[in-house]
PDB file of all heavy atoms in Angstrom:
ATOM      1  N   PHE A 250    -255.058-170.224 -20.295  1.00 90.00           N
ATOM      2  CA  PHE A 250    -254.988-168.737 -20.113  1.00 90.00           C
ATOM      3  C   PHE A 250    -256.243-168.121 -20.783  1.00 90.00           C
ATOM      4  O   PHE A 250    -256.909-167.243 -20.122  1.00 90.00           O
ATOM      5  CB  PHE A 250    -253.673-168.259 -20.778  1.00 90.00           C
ATOM      6  CG  PHE A 250    -253.498-166.739 -20.678  1.00 90.00           C
ATOM      7  CD1 PHE A 250    -252.781-166.161 -19.677  1.00 90.00           C
ATOM      8  CD2 PHE A 250    -254.090-165.920 -21.656  1.00 90.00           C
ATOM      9  CE1 PHE A 250    -252.614-164.815 -19.588  1.00 90.00           C
ATOM     10  CE2 PHE A 250    -253.945-164.504 -21.573  1.00 90.00           C
ATOM     11  CZ  PHE A 250    -253.150-164.001 -20.530  1.00 90.00           C
ATOM     12  N   ASP A 251    -256.532-168.516 -21.975  1.00 89.00           N
ATOM     13  CA  ASP A 251    -257.667-167.953 -22.698  1.00 89.00           C
ATOM     14  C   ASP A 251    -258.976-168.284 -22.041  1.00 89.00           C
ATOM     15  O   ASP A 251    -259.870-167.490 -21.960  1.00 89.00           O
ATOM     16  CB  ASP A 251    -257.712-168.438 -24.144  1.00 89.00           C
ATOM     17  CG  ASP A 251    -256.538-167.929 -24.941  1.00 89.00           C
ATOM     18  OD1 ASP A 251    -255.957-166.880 -24.609  1.00 89.00           O
ATOM     19  OD2 ASP A 251    -256.199-168.490 -25.999  1.00 89.00           O
ATOM     20  N   ASN A 252    -259.050-169.474 -21.440  1.00 88.00           N
ATOM     21  CA  ASN A 252    -260.271-169.890 -20.704  1.00 88.00           C
ATOM     22  C   ASN A 252    -260.431-169.117 -19.420  1.00 88.00           C
ATOM     23  O   ASN A 252    -261.580-168.772 -19.040  1.00 88.00           O
ATOM     24  CB  ASN A 252    -260.162-171.400 -20.416  1.00 88.00           C
ATOM     25  CG  ASN A 252    -261.404-171.906 -19.738  1.00 88.00           C
ATOM     26  OD1 ASN A 252    -262.507-171.778 -20.280  1.00 88.00           O
ATOM     27  ND2 ASN A 252    -261.288-172.536 -18.569  1.00 88.00           N
ATOM     28  N   ALA A 253    -259.330-168.750 -18.792  1.00 87.00           N
ATOM     29  CA  ALA A 253    -259.431-167.989 -17.515  1.00 87.00           C
ATOM     30  C   ALA A 253    -259.690-166.479 -17.783  1.00 87.00           C
ATOM     31  O   ALA A 253    -260.054-165.807 -16.818  1.00 87.00           O
ATOM     32  CB  ALA A 253    -258.143-168.112 -16.742  1.00 87.00           C
ATOM     33  N   ASP A 254    -259.453-166.078 -18.953  1.00 87.00           N
ATOM     34  CA  ASP A 254    -259.616-164.614 -19.293  1.00 87.00           C
ATOM     35  C   ASP A 254    -261.117-164.270 -19.472  1.00 87.00           C
ATOM     36  O   ASP A 254    -261.563-163.984 -20.551  1.00 87.00           O
ATOM     37  CB  ASP A 254    -258.834-164.315 -20.562  1.00 87.00           C
ATOM     38  CG  ASP A 254    -258.843-162.806 -20.879  1.00 87.00           C
ATOM     39  OD1 ASP A 254    -259.153-161.936 -19.964  1.00 87.00           O
ATOM     40  OD2 ASP A 254    -258.520-162.440 -22.052  1.00 87.00           O
ATOM     41  N   LYS A 255    -261.808-164.252 -18.347  1.00 84.00           N
ATOM     42  CA  LYS A 255    -263.296-164.029 -18.400  1.00 84.00           C
ATOM     43  C   LYS A 255    -263.582-162.618 -18.702  1.00 84.00           C
ATOM     44  O   LYS A 255    -264.605-162.289 -19.327  1.00 84.00           O
ATOM     45  CB  LYS A 255    -263.857-164.403 -17.019  1.00 84.00           C
ATOM     46  CG  LYS A 255    -263.572-165.907 -16.591  1.00 84.00           C
ATOM     47  CD  LYS A 255    -264.176-166.843 -17.534  1.00 84.00           C
ATOM     48  CE  LYS A 255    -264.028-168.298 -16.989  1.00 84.00           C
ATOM     49  NZ  LYS A 255    -264.524-169.309 -17.948  1.00 84.00           N
ATOM     50  N   ARG A 257    -261.840-160.439 -20.461  1.00 81.00           N
ATOM     51  CA  ARG A 257    -261.385-160.017 -21.770  1.00 81.00           C
ATOM     52  C   ARG A 257    -260.664-158.693 -21.741  1.00 81.00           C
ATOM     53  O   ARG A 257    -260.799-157.842 -22.633  1.00 81.00           O
ATOM     54  CB  ARG A 257    -262.495-159.951 -22.797  1.00 81.00           C
ATOM     55  CG  ARG A 257    -263.270-161.257 -22.981  1.00 81.00           C
ATOM     56  CD  ARG A 257    -262.371-162.395 -23.382  1.00 81.00           C
ATOM     57  NE  ARG A 257    -263.097-163.687 -23.524  1.00 81.00           N
ATOM     58  CZ  ARG A 257    -262.435-164.848 -23.651  1.00 81.00           C
ATOM     59  NH1 ARG A 257    -261.117-164.875 -23.604  1.00 81.00           N
ATOM     60  NH2 ARG A 257    -263.168-165.957 -23.687  1.00 81.00           N
ATOM     61  N   VAL A 266    -254.763-160.150 -21.152  1.00 88.00           N
ATOM     62  CA  VAL A 266    -254.150-160.146 -19.807  1.00 88.00           C
ATOM     63  C   VAL A 266    -255.112-160.793 -18.791  1.00 88.00           C
ATOM     64  O   VAL A 266    -256.248-160.928 -19.018  1.00 88.00           O
ATOM     65  CB  VAL A 266    -253.753-158.728 -19.353  1.00 88.00           C
ATOM     66  CG1 VAL A 266    -252.700-158.123 -20.185  1.00 88.00           C
ATOM     67  CG2 VAL A 266    -255.043-157.816 -19.363  1.00 88.00           C
TER      68      VAL A 266
END
Side-chain angles (χ1 to χ4, degrees):
F250 179 95
D251 292 339
N252 184 56
D254 185 17
K255 303 296 184 182
R257 302 302 176 193
V266 293

